[in-house]
Amino acid sequence: MNIVQNKILLQRLAADYGLGTMQGAARRRFEALARRQAPVRQAIRDWQERLAGLTELQAPATPPEVIWKRIEIALHLEREAARLAAARRQAATGPQAETPSLPWWRQLFVWQGFSAAALSLALLAWWQPWQAAPDGPGASTQAQGPAGAATETLALLLDADNRPVWLASWSGPRQQVQLQDLLGQPVPAGRSLQLWAVPAQGAPRSLGVVGTGDAGKVLSAAASQVQGAALLALSLEVEGGVPEAGGPQGPILFKGPVVHRTL
Amino acid sequence: MTTPDDNTQALLIDLLSRVAQGDELALKQLYDQTSGRFYGLALRIVRAGELAEDVLQESYLSIWRSAADYRASLSPPLAWMGLIVRSRALDLLRRRTGERVQLTDSLDELTEDTLEGDSPDPAQCADASQQAQALHRCLAQLKGPQREVLSLAYLRELSHGDLAEQLKLPLGTIKSWIRRGLEQLRLCMGAFN
């Protein structure tokens, strides 16, 4: 049967196609037909146009302000990553050596090392949370401050899909790590995220457990805990976290190489 | 004659072409102009606020990356952007099938949704493309649940079977509502074109 002749049937099928209710094998057969028959293509286009208006007719809602902030961060990351990727192509580095089987924290280094480092560098160039914050008394003269006072450390922690999820910045003058939750994903009930500093040599060090609210996202950390770190990682642990000595027990959800710089 | 609708369309088209040239300020303006509408759309498709936030973020990043393709599409700007939001929302829903979001609605809930869902305020409607305004008038001629089944099928890309399951209605009812609804829409919208 030639459906192009049967206008009612053609309209019905094209409408089902445009609406999306035609699925699976039927949809593929109809697409094959559309490739051969211009009237079928036209009928599909008409329906797609008619129905597209449905996306415009929904009741509006006010989005939370944080969404635009997140878009801004993503735009900066994207631009800087593109710039760094271009620079990297020019530098044309040699092939990297394969890494044999290693403990888990060593294997972290193998993962997507460069792109995350590039993103962290990009963020460092752009993001200056500590300088923007008002300094408390005693933090004004870096020379008299605690060890490592005049440095800061930054890491962008990515998830398994390489999406930036957390931004961690350690301030020498404050001896604190501040965590910024970029996506606002909730932690499952009864579990905690624990922050680890993973040095190039030796076992990872616990920097503490991420708490609730803004206050819970600032953790005390001495220079000695952070400065040797090559990576920061967040693992999902039982509520309250696990002892440092055993290392992370739960899955590493987010991780990223750190960038150190002198202020 | 220039209507407010034409002015909005022209503004949005201008913003999109500036976005295509990498103008971040234009993206911010576009966001301010349209994010309320599309947050509403995202909420309608994915329901959960948290997911809808991700949809909105990813949608504007997609718009940023693909604004250069806009002119070739020949669509009204809101329709073009609306399709991006819908497709990001569906992507996100598919990605999250593991933590399956609660998508089952009762028809009562839906008809409630319809009252606010498909009845945008007059300003919202005036900004919509002509095609969408015609669709709005034609949808108004359908019965509430029938209109709602069509919206839901389209926005969430559901099959007849999915709809029957989610709305707890007989498959035959869903099929005939959709078939008759689409036929009425075709006749009604033909009159507008």
Side-chain angles (χ1 to χ4, degrees), chain A residues 11-12 15 18-19 21 23 47 49-64 67-68 70 75 78-79 186, chain B residues 24 28 31 36-37 39-40 44 50 53-54 57 64-65 79 82 116-118 120 124 128-129 131 135 154 157-159 179 182 186:
Chain A
Q11 282 301 322
R12 189 177 291 173
L19 189 67
T21 39
Q23 298 191 350
W47 273 105
E49 242 178 64
R50 283 184 194 123
L51 294 169
L54 278 170
T55 66
E56 295 181 55
L57 296 176
Q58 306 308 312
T62 310
I67 300 181
W68 176 254
R70 280 159 45 181
L75 288 178
E78 220 168 80
R79 193 169 44 232
Chain B
E24 259 184 52
K28 171 70 169 133
Y31 182 86
R37 175 191 296 273
Y39 188 56
R44 191 79 205 293
E50 183 203 328
E53 291 177 22
D54 288 352
Q57 176 182 345
W64 170 254
R65 291 181 201 118
E116 28 174 331
D118 279 335
Q124 169 96 349
S129 63
Q131 189 86 19
L135 181 67
Y154 180 77
E157 218 170 48
L158 298 174
S159 68
R179 200 180 62 224
L182 288 171
R186 185 177 68 81

Short mmCIF file of all heavy atoms in Angstrom, two decimals, chain A residues 11-12 15 18-19 21 23 47 49-64 67-68 70 75 78-79 186, chain B residues 24 28 31 36-37 39-40 44 50 53-54 57 64-65 79 82 116-118 120 124 128-129 131 135 154 157-159 179 182 186:
data_model
loop_
_atom_site.label_atom_id
_atom_site.label_comp_id
_atom_site.label_asym_id
_atom_site.label_seq_id
_atom_site.Cartn_x
_atom_site.Cartn_y
_atom_site.Cartn_z
N GLN A 11 -1.13 11.34 7.59
CA GLN A 11 -1.21 12.33 8.66
C GLN A 11 -1.17 11.68 10.03
O GLN A 11 -0.51 12.15 10.94
CB GLN A 11 -2.51 13.15 8.51
CG GLN A 11 -2.43 14.21 7.43
CD GLN A 11 -1.30 15.22 7.69
OE1 GLN A 11 -1.03 15.61 8.82
NE2 GLN A 11 -0.64 15.63 6.61
N ARG A 12 -1.90 10.57 10.15
CA ARG A 12 -1.96 9.91 11.44
C ARG A 12 -0.58 9.40 11.86
O ARG A 12 -0.15 9.57 13.00
CB ARG A 12 -2.97 8.76 11.37
CG ARG A 12 -3.27 8.14 12.71
CD ARG A 12 -4.31 7.08 12.59
NE ARG A 12 -5.61 7.62 12.27
CZ ARG A 12 -6.68 6.86 11.97
NH1 ARG A 12 -6.55 5.54 11.92
NH2 ARG A 12 -7.83 7.41 11.70
N ALA A 15 1.79 12.31 12.62
CA ALA A 15 1.44 12.91 13.90
C ALA A 15 1.99 12.07 15.05
O ALA A 15 2.58 12.60 15.99
CB ALA A 15 -0.07 13.05 14.02
N GLY A 18 5.71 12.63 15.13
CA GLY A 18 6.08 13.95 15.68
C GLY A 18 5.83 14.05 17.17
O GLY A 18 6.60 14.67 17.90
N LEU A 19 4.75 13.41 17.62
CA LEU A 19 4.42 13.43 19.04
C LEU A 19 5.40 12.59 19.85
O LEU A 19 5.67 12.88 21.01
CB LEU A 19 2.99 12.91 19.24
CG LEU A 19 2.38 13.06 20.63
CD1 LEU A 19 2.17 14.54 20.96
CD2 LEU A 19 1.07 12.30 20.75
N THR A 21 4.98 9.23 20.14
CA THR A 21 4.35 7.99 20.59
C THR A 21 4.69 6.82 19.67
O THR A 21 4.55 5.67 20.05
CB THR A 21 2.81 8.16 20.68
OG1 THR A 21 2.37 8.96 19.58
CG2 THR A 21 2.42 8.86 21.96
N GLN A 23 7.32 4.55 18.41
CA GLN A 23 8.67 4.25 18.89
C GLN A 23 9.20 2.94 18.32
O GLN A 23 8.49 2.21 17.65
CB GLN A 23 8.65 4.21 20.43
CG GLN A 23 8.25 5.56 21.03
CD GLN A 23 8.45 5.66 22.54
OE1 GLN A 23 8.73 4.66 23.20
NE2 GLN A 23 8.32 6.86 23.07
N TRP A 47 4.22 18.33 11.37
CA TRP A 47 3.83 17.95 12.73
C TRP A 47 4.87 18.36 13.76
O TRP A 47 4.53 18.78 14.87
CB TRP A 47 3.53 16.45 12.80
CG TRP A 47 2.12 16.18 12.43
CD1 TRP A 47 1.66 15.66 11.26
CD2 TRP A 47 0.96 16.49 13.20
NE1 TRP A 47 0.30 15.61 11.26
CE2 TRP A 47 -0.17 16.12 12.45
CE3 TRP A 47 0.75 17.06 14.47
CZ2 TRP A 47 -1.47 16.29 12.92
CZ3 TRP A 47 -0.54 17.22 14.93
CH2 TRP A 47 -1.64 16.84 14.15
N GLU A 49 6.72 20.90 13.63
CA GLU A 49 6.56 22.35 13.83
C GLU A 49 5.33 22.65 14.68
O GLU A 49 5.37 23.48 15.57
CB GLU A 49 6.41 23.03 12.47
CG GLU A 49 7.50 24.02 12.18
CD GLU A 49 7.32 24.63 10.81
OE1 GLU A 49 6.30 25.30 10.60
OE2 GLU A 49 8.19 24.39 9.95
N ARG A 50 4.22 21.98 14.37
CA ARG A 50 2.99 22.21 15.13
C ARG A 50 3.22 21.93 16.61
O ARG A 50 2.77 22.68 17.46
CB ARG A 50 1.88 21.27 14.65
CG ARG A 50 1.26 21.70 13.36
CD ARG A 50 0.10 20.76 13.00
NE ARG A 50 -0.25 21.01 11.60
CZ ARG A 50 -0.25 20.07 10.66
NH1 ARG A 50 0.04 18.82 10.97
NH2 ARG A 50 -0.56 20.39 9.43
N LEU A 51 3.89 20.83 16.91
CA LEU A 51 3.97 20.39 18.30
C LEU A 51 5.08 21.06 19.09
O LEU A 51 5.05 21.10 20.31
CB LEU A 51 4.14 18.87 18.35
CG LEU A 51 2.92 18.10 17.83
CD1 LEU A 51 3.25 16.63 17.65
CD2 LEU A 51 1.75 18.25 18.80
N ALA A 52 6.08 21.60 18.36
CA ALA A 52 7.21 22.23 19.07
C ALA A 52 6.73 23.34 19.99
O ALA A 52 7.34 23.62 21.01
CB ALA A 52 8.23 22.77 18.06
N GLY A 53 5.60 23.95 19.62
CA GLY A 53 5.05 25.02 20.46
C GLY A 53 4.76 24.58 21.89
O GLY A 53 4.73 25.39 22.80
N LEU A 54 4.58 23.26 22.10
CA LEU A 54 4.32 22.76 23.46
C LEU A 54 5.44 23.15 24.42
O LEU A 54 5.20 23.35 25.61
CB LEU A 54 4.17 21.24 23.44
CG LEU A 54 2.79 20.71 23.04
CD1 LEU A 54 2.84 19.21 22.81
CD2 LEU A 54 1.76 21.05 24.11
N THR A 55 6.66 23.27 23.91
CA THR A 55 7.77 23.64 24.80
C THR A 55 7.65 25.09 25.24
O THR A 55 8.26 25.50 26.21
CB THR A 55 9.15 23.44 24.13
OG1 THR A 55 9.25 24.35 23.04
CG2 THR A 55 9.33 22.02 23.63
N GLU A 56 6.88 25.89 24.49
CA GLU A 56 6.78 27.31 24.83
C GLU A 56 5.61 27.60 25.74
O GLU A 56 5.46 28.71 26.22
CB GLU A 56 6.60 28.13 23.54
CG GLU A 56 7.78 28.09 22.61
CD GLU A 56 7.51 28.95 21.38
OE1 GLU A 56 7.20 30.13 21.55
OE2 GLU A 56 7.61 28.42 20.25
N LEU A 57 4.75 26.62 25.93
CA LEU A 57 3.48 26.92 26.59
C LEU A 57 3.40 26.48 28.05
O LEU A 57 2.33 26.45 28.63
CB LEU A 57 2.33 26.26 25.80
CG LEU A 57 2.13 26.80 24.38
CD1 LEU A 57 1.04 26.02 23.68
CD2 LEU A 57 1.77 28.28 24.41
N GLN A 58 4.51 26.11 28.64
CA GLN A 58 4.45 25.65 30.03
C GLN A 58 4.51 26.85 30.99
O GLN A 58 5.11 27.87 30.68
CB GLN A 58 5.60 24.68 30.31
CG GLN A 58 5.66 23.52 29.32
CD GLN A 58 4.33 22.80 29.19
OE1 GLN A 58 3.70 22.46 30.18
NE2 GLN A 58 3.88 22.58 27.96
N ALA A 59 3.89 26.68 32.14
CA ALA A 59 3.89 27.75 33.13
C ALA A 59 5.33 28.04 33.57
O ALA A 59 6.09 27.12 33.85
CB ALA A 59 3.06 27.34 34.33
N PRO A 60 5.70 29.31 33.62
CA PRO A 60 7.08 29.64 34.01
C PRO A 60 7.30 29.43 35.50
O PRO A 60 6.35 29.37 36.27
CB PRO A 60 7.19 31.12 33.66
CG PRO A 60 5.80 31.65 33.68
CD PRO A 60 4.90 30.50 33.30
N ALA A 61 8.55 29.29 35.90
CA ALA A 61 8.92 29.17 37.31
C ALA A 61 10.23 29.91 37.49
O ALA A 61 11.02 29.98 36.56
CB ALA A 61 9.07 27.70 37.69
N THR A 62 10.46 30.46 38.67
CA THR A 62 11.70 31.22 38.88
C THR A 62 12.83 30.27 39.24
O THR A 62 12.76 29.58 40.24
CB THR A 62 11.51 32.23 40.02
OG1 THR A 62 10.31 32.96 39.75
CG2 THR A 62 12.69 33.17 40.12
N PRO A 63 13.88 30.23 38.42
CA PRO A 63 14.99 29.33 38.74
C PRO A 63 15.83 29.90 39.89
O PRO A 63 15.94 31.11 40.01
CB PRO A 63 15.80 29.28 37.45
CG PRO A 63 15.45 30.53 36.72
CD PRO A 63 14.08 30.95 37.16
N PRO A 64 16.44 29.03 40.71
CA PRO A 64 17.33 29.52 41.77
C PRO A 64 18.49 30.31 41.17
O PRO A 64 18.96 29.98 40.08
CB PRO A 64 17.85 28.24 42.42
CG PRO A 64 16.97 27.15 41.96
CD PRO A 64 16.34 27.57 40.68
N ILE A 67 21.96 28.91 39.58
CA ILE A 67 22.13 28.28 38.26
C ILE A 67 22.97 29.16 37.34
O ILE A 67 23.87 28.67 36.66
CB ILE A 67 20.77 27.96 37.60
CG1 ILE A 67 19.99 27.02 38.51
CG2 ILE A 67 20.98 27.33 36.23
CD1 ILE A 67 18.65 26.63 37.95
N TRP A 68 22.70 30.46 37.35
CA TRP A 68 23.52 31.32 36.48
C TRP A 68 24.98 31.30 36.92
O TRP A 68 25.88 31.27 36.09
CB TRP A 68 22.98 32.75 36.42
CG TRP A 68 23.91 33.58 35.59
CD1 TRP A 68 24.79 34.51 36.02
CD2 TRP A 68 24.12 33.46 34.17
NE1 TRP A 68 25.54 35.00 34.97
CE2 TRP A 68 25.14 34.37 33.83
CE3 TRP A 68 23.55 32.65 33.17
CZ2 TRP A 68 25.59 34.51 32.52
CZ3 TRP A 68 24.01 32.80 31.87
CH2 TRP A 68 25.01 33.73 31.56
N ARG A 70 26.55 28.84 38.20
CA ARG A 70 27.13 27.58 37.72
C ARG A 70 27.42 27.66 36.23
O ARG A 70 28.44 27.14 35.75
CB ARG A 70 26.18 26.41 38.04
CG ARG A 70 26.30 25.95 39.48
CD ARG A 70 25.09 25.19 39.98
NE ARG A 70 24.60 24.19 39.04
CZ ARG A 70 23.55 23.43 39.27
NH1 ARG A 70 22.87 23.54 40.39
NH2 ARG A 70 23.17 22.56 38.38
N LEU A 75 31.39 28.21 31.84
CA LEU A 75 31.88 28.94 30.67
C LEU A 75 33.36 29.27 30.81
O LEU A 75 34.14 29.12 29.87
CB LEU A 75 31.10 30.25 30.48
CG LEU A 75 29.66 30.12 30.00
CD1 LEU A 75 29.02 31.50 29.92
CD2 LEU A 75 29.60 29.43 28.66
N GLU A 78 35.38 26.15 30.35
CA GLU A 78 35.42 25.72 28.96
C GLU A 78 36.42 26.55 28.16
O GLU A 78 37.20 26.02 27.39
CB GLU A 78 34.03 25.89 28.37
CG GLU A 78 33.64 24.78 27.46
CD GLU A 78 32.15 24.85 27.14
OE1 GLU A 78 31.79 25.65 26.28
OE2 GLU A 78 31.37 24.13 27.78
N ARG A 79 36.36 27.84 28.37
CA ARG A 79 37.23 28.73 27.60
C ARG A 79 38.69 28.47 27.94
O ARG A 79 39.54 28.34 27.07
CB ARG A 79 36.86 30.18 27.89
CG ARG A 79 37.48 31.14 26.91
CD ARG A 79 36.92 32.53 27.03
NE ARG A 79 36.78 32.96 28.41
CZ ARG A 79 35.66 33.44 28.93
NH1 ARG A 79 34.59 33.55 28.20
NH2 ARG A 79 35.62 33.82 30.18
N PRO A 186 23.06 16.11 46.71
CA PRO A 186 22.96 15.70 48.11
C PRO A 186 23.79 14.46 48.41
O PRO A 186 24.01 13.63 47.53
CB PRO A 186 21.47 15.40 48.27
CG PRO A 186 21.00 15.06 46.90
CD PRO A 186 21.87 15.80 45.92
N GLU B 24 29.35 36.77 26.05
CA GLU B 24 28.80 36.22 27.28
C GLU B 24 27.70 37.09 27.87
O GLU B 24 26.78 36.61 28.51
CB GLU B 24 29.90 36.02 28.32
CG GLU B 24 30.36 34.58 28.40
CD GLU B 24 31.39 34.36 29.48
OE1 GLU B 24 31.15 34.75 30.63
OE2 GLU B 24 32.45 33.80 29.16
N LYS B 28 23.88 36.14 29.07
CA LYS B 28 23.26 36.51 30.34
C LYS B 28 21.89 37.17 30.09
O LYS B 28 20.91 36.88 30.77
CB LYS B 28 24.19 37.46 31.10
CG LYS B 28 23.60 38.11 32.34
CD LYS B 28 23.36 37.12 33.47
CE LYS B 28 23.02 37.83 34.77
NZ LYS B 28 21.87 37.24 35.45
N TYR B 31 19.48 34.62 29.05
CA TYR B 31 19.10 33.85 30.23
C TYR B 31 18.05 34.61 31.03
O TYR B 31 17.03 34.06 31.44
CB TYR B 31 20.35 33.58 31.09
CG TYR B 31 20.07 32.74 32.31
CD1 TYR B 31 20.07 31.34 32.25
CD2 TYR B 31 19.80 33.33 33.54
CE1 TYR B 31 19.81 30.58 33.37
CE2 TYR B 31 19.54 32.58 34.67
CZ TYR B 31 19.55 31.20 34.57
OH TYR B 31 19.28 30.44 35.70
N GLY B 36 13.03 31.73 33.06
CA GLY B 36 11.82 31.41 33.81
C GLY B 36 10.93 30.46 33.03
O GLY B 36 10.45 29.44 33.53
N ARG B 37 10.76 30.78 31.77
CA ARG B 37 9.95 29.95 30.88
C ARG B 37 10.54 28.54 30.79
O ARG B 37 9.83 27.54 30.89
CB ARG B 37 9.96 30.61 29.51
CG ARG B 37 9.27 29.86 28.41
CD ARG B 37 9.61 30.51 27.07
NE ARG B 37 9.09 31.86 26.95
CZ ARG B 37 7.87 32.15 26.53
NH1 ARG B 37 7.05 31.19 26.19
NH2 ARG B 37 7.47 33.40 26.43
N TYR B 39 12.79 27.10 32.78
CA TYR B 39 12.83 26.37 34.06
C TYR B 39 11.47 25.70 34.27
O TYR B 39 11.40 24.55 34.71
CB TYR B 39 13.17 27.32 35.20
CG TYR B 39 13.42 26.62 36.52
CD1 TYR B 39 14.38 25.62 36.62
CD2 TYR B 39 12.69 26.95 37.66
CE1 TYR B 39 14.61 24.97 37.82
CE2 TYR B 39 12.91 26.31 38.86
CZ TYR B 39 13.88 25.32 38.94
OH TYR B 39 14.10 24.67 40.13
N GLY B 40 10.41 26.41 33.93
CA GLY B 40 9.06 25.84 34.01
C GLY B 40 8.96 24.60 33.13
O GLY B 40 8.42 23.57 33.55
N ARG B 44 8.50 20.68 34.30
CA ARG B 44 7.38 19.90 33.78
C ARG B 44 7.85 18.54 33.30
O ARG B 44 7.19 17.52 33.48
CB ARG B 44 6.76 20.68 32.64
CG ARG B 44 5.45 20.16 32.16
CD ARG B 44 4.35 20.60 33.10
NE ARG B 44 3.21 19.71 33.06
CZ ARG B 44 2.42 19.56 32.00
NH1 ARG B 44 2.64 20.26 30.91
NH2 ARG B 44 1.43 18.73 32.02
N GLU B 50 15.85 19.68 41.58
CA GLU B 50 17.30 19.53 41.48
C GLU B 50 17.71 19.12 40.05
O GLU B 50 18.65 19.67 39.48
CB GLU B 50 17.73 18.48 42.50
CG GLU B 50 19.20 18.25 42.60
CD GLU B 50 19.47 16.87 43.17
OE1 GLU B 50 18.65 16.40 44.01
OE2 GLU B 50 20.47 16.27 42.76
N GLU B 53 17.31 21.96 37.62
CA GLU B 53 18.42 22.91 37.66
C GLU B 53 19.54 22.46 36.74
O GLU B 53 20.11 23.25 36.00
CB GLU B 53 18.96 23.04 39.09
CG GLU B 53 17.99 23.73 40.03
CD GLU B 53 18.52 23.79 41.45
OE1 GLU B 53 19.75 23.69 41.65
OE2 GLU B 53 17.69 23.93 42.38
N ASP B 54 19.85 21.16 36.81
CA ASP B 54 20.89 20.63 35.91
C ASP B 54 20.47 20.78 34.45
O ASP B 54 21.29 21.11 33.60
CB ASP B 54 21.15 19.14 36.21
CG ASP B 54 21.89 18.94 37.53
OD1 ASP B 54 22.31 19.96 38.11
OD2 ASP B 54 22.03 17.80 37.97
N GLN B 57 20.97 24.40 33.40
CA GLN B 57 22.39 24.71 33.22
C GLN B 57 22.91 24.12 31.90
O GLN B 57 23.51 24.81 31.09
CB GLN B 57 23.19 24.15 34.39
CG GLN B 57 24.69 24.34 34.24
CD GLN B 57 25.47 23.73 35.40
OE1 GLN B 57 24.91 23.41 36.44
NE2 GLN B 57 26.77 23.59 35.22
N TRP B 64 24.78 28.08 24.15
CA TRP B 64 26.05 28.80 23.98
C TRP B 64 26.89 28.16 22.88
O TRP B 64 27.44 28.83 22.03
CB TRP B 64 26.78 28.79 25.33
CG TRP B 64 28.20 29.26 25.32
CD1 TRP B 64 29.31 28.48 25.43
CD2 TRP B 64 28.66 30.62 25.24
NE1 TRP B 64 30.42 29.26 25.41
CE2 TRP B 64 30.06 30.58 25.30
CE3 TRP B 64 28.01 31.86 25.12
CZ2 TRP B 64 30.84 31.73 25.24
CZ3 TRP B 64 28.79 33.00 25.06
CH2 TRP B 64 30.18 32.93 25.11
N ARG B 65 26.94 26.82 22.91
CA ARG B 65 27.80 26.12 21.95
C ARG B 65 27.18 26.06 20.56
O ARG B 65 27.90 26.00 19.57
CB ARG B 65 28.07 24.69 22.43
CG ARG B 65 28.94 24.64 23.66
CD ARG B 65 29.20 23.20 24.08
NE ARG B 65 29.59 23.17 25.49
CZ ARG B 65 28.91 22.55 26.43
NH1 ARG B 65 27.82 21.87 26.13
NH2 ARG B 65 29.31 22.59 27.67
N ALA B 79 11.13 28.58 20.02
CA ALA B 79 10.87 27.19 19.64
C ALA B 79 12.19 26.43 19.54
O ALA B 79 12.31 25.30 20.02
CB ALA B 79 10.12 27.14 18.31
N GLY B 82 13.47 25.94 23.01
CA GLY B 82 12.60 25.00 23.73
C GLY B 82 12.93 23.55 23.39
O GLY B 82 12.94 22.68 24.26
N GLU B 116 -2.35 25.04 35.59
CA GLU B 116 -1.21 25.94 35.54
C GLU B 116 -0.30 25.57 34.38
O GLU B 116 0.32 26.43 33.77
CB GLU B 116 -0.42 25.88 36.85
CG GLU B 116 -0.54 24.56 37.53
CD GLU B 116 0.34 24.42 38.75
OE1 GLU B 116 1.39 25.06 38.80
OE2 GLU B 116 -0.03 23.65 39.63
N GLY B 117 -0.26 24.25 34.07
CA GLY B 117 0.72 23.75 33.10
C GLY B 117 0.55 24.31 31.70
O GLY B 117 1.50 24.86 31.15
N ASP B 118 -0.64 24.19 31.16
CA ASP B 118 -0.80 24.62 29.78
C ASP B 118 -1.57 25.93 29.65
O ASP B 118 -2.07 26.27 28.61
CB ASP B 118 -1.48 23.53 28.95
CG ASP B 118 -0.47 22.48 28.53
OD1 ASP B 118 0.71 22.83 28.45
OD2 ASP B 118 -0.86 21.33 28.31
N PRO B 120 -0.43 29.34 30.26
CA PRO B 120 0.52 30.37 30.62
C PRO B 120 -0.19 31.71 30.73
O PRO B 120 -1.25 31.89 30.14
CB PRO B 120 1.51 30.36 29.46
CG PRO B 120 0.79 29.74 28.32
CD PRO B 120 -0.24 28.83 28.90
N GLN B 124 3.23 35.67 28.84
CA GLN B 124 4.00 34.50 28.43
C GLN B 124 3.56 34.07 27.03
O GLN B 124 4.36 33.74 26.17
CB GLN B 124 3.70 33.38 29.44
CG GLN B 124 4.19 32.03 29.06
CD GLN B 124 5.53 31.75 29.70
OE1 GLN B 124 6.16 32.64 30.24
NE2 GLN B 124 5.98 30.53 29.61
N ALA B 128 5.28 34.08 22.96
CA ALA B 128 5.47 32.81 22.28
C ALA B 128 5.41 33.01 20.76
O ALA B 128 4.86 34.00 20.26
CB ALA B 128 4.41 31.81 22.73
N SER B 129 5.96 32.05 20.03
CA SER B 129 5.93 32.15 18.57
C SER B 129 4.49 32.03 18.09
O SER B 129 3.62 31.53 18.80
CB SER B 129 6.78 31.04 17.96
OG SER B 129 6.23 29.79 18.30
N GLN B 131 3.26 30.09 15.95
CA GLN B 131 2.90 28.68 15.90
C GLN B 131 2.43 28.21 17.27
O GLN B 131 1.43 27.51 17.39
CB GLN B 131 4.16 27.89 15.48
CG GLN B 131 3.91 26.45 15.16
CD GLN B 131 3.48 26.27 13.71
OE1 GLN B 131 3.71 27.12 12.88
NE2 GLN B 131 2.87 25.14 13.42
N LEU B 135 -1.21 26.89 18.52
CA LEU B 135 -1.32 25.61 19.22
C LEU B 135 -2.07 25.80 20.54
O LEU B 135 -2.92 25.00 20.90
CB LEU B 135 0.09 25.06 19.49
CG LEU B 135 0.15 23.71 20.20
CD1 LEU B 135 -0.40 22.60 19.32
CD2 LEU B 135 1.58 23.37 20.61
N TYR B 154 4.38 14.23 24.40
CA TYR B 154 5.39 14.97 23.65
C TYR B 154 6.56 15.35 24.56
O TYR B 154 7.72 15.10 24.23
CB TYR B 154 4.77 16.23 23.06
CG TYR B 154 5.77 17.04 22.27
CD1 TYR B 154 6.15 16.66 20.99
CD2 TYR B 154 6.35 18.17 22.82
CE1 TYR B 154 7.07 17.37 20.27
CE2 TYR B 154 7.29 18.90 22.11
CZ TYR B 154 7.65 18.50 20.84
OH TYR B 154 8.58 19.20 20.13
N GLU B 157 8.34 12.24 25.80
CA GLU B 157 8.60 11.25 24.75
C GLU B 157 8.14 9.86 25.18
O GLU B 157 8.93 8.92 25.23
CB GLU B 157 10.09 11.22 24.41
CG GLU B 157 10.36 11.04 22.95
CD GLU B 157 11.84 11.26 22.61
OE1 GLU B 157 12.70 10.69 23.30
OE2 GLU B 157 12.12 12.00 21.67
N LEU B 158 6.85 9.75 25.51
CA LEU B 158 6.33 8.48 26.01
C LEU B 158 5.53 7.76 24.94
O LEU B 158 4.86 8.39 24.11
CB LEU B 158 5.41 8.74 27.22
CG LEU B 158 6.08 9.39 28.43
CD1 LEU B 158 5.05 9.72 29.50
CD2 LEU B 158 7.15 8.49 29.01
N SER B 159 5.60 6.43 24.97
CA SER B 159 4.80 5.63 24.05
C SER B 159 3.38 5.50 24.62
O SER B 159 3.13 5.85 25.77
CB SER B 159 5.41 4.24 23.90
OG SER B 159 5.27 3.55 25.13
N ARG B 179 -5.32 9.85 19.22
CA ARG B 179 -5.64 9.90 17.80
C ARG B 179 -6.63 11.03 17.50
O ARG B 179 -6.43 11.84 16.60
CB ARG B 179 -6.20 8.56 17.34
CG ARG B 179 -6.09 8.39 15.83
CD ARG B 179 -6.65 7.06 15.38
NE ARG B 179 -8.06 6.96 15.69
CZ ARG B 179 -8.63 5.87 16.21
NH1 ARG B 179 -7.92 4.80 16.49
NH2 ARG B 179 -9.93 5.84 16.45
N LEU B 182 -5.01 14.55 18.10
CA LEU B 182 -4.12 14.98 17.01
C LEU B 182 -4.93 15.40 15.79
O LEU B 182 -4.59 16.37 15.11
CB LEU B 182 -3.14 13.85 16.65
CG LEU B 182 -2.03 13.58 17.67
CD1 LEU B 182 -1.28 12.30 17.31
CD2 LEU B 182 -1.06 14.75 17.75
N ARG B 186 -4.89 19.02 14.05
CA ARG B 186 -4.53 19.23 12.65
C ARG B 186 -5.56 20.14 11.97
O ARG B 186 -5.21 21.10 11.28
CB ARG B 186 -4.44 17.90 11.91
CG ARG B 186 -3.96 18.01 10.48
CD ARG B 186 -3.82 16.64 9.84
NE ARG B 186 -5.10 15.99 9.64
CZ ARG B 186 -5.93 16.24 8.63
NH1 ARG B 186 -5.60 17.14 7.73
NH2 ARG B 186 -7.08 15.60 8.51
#
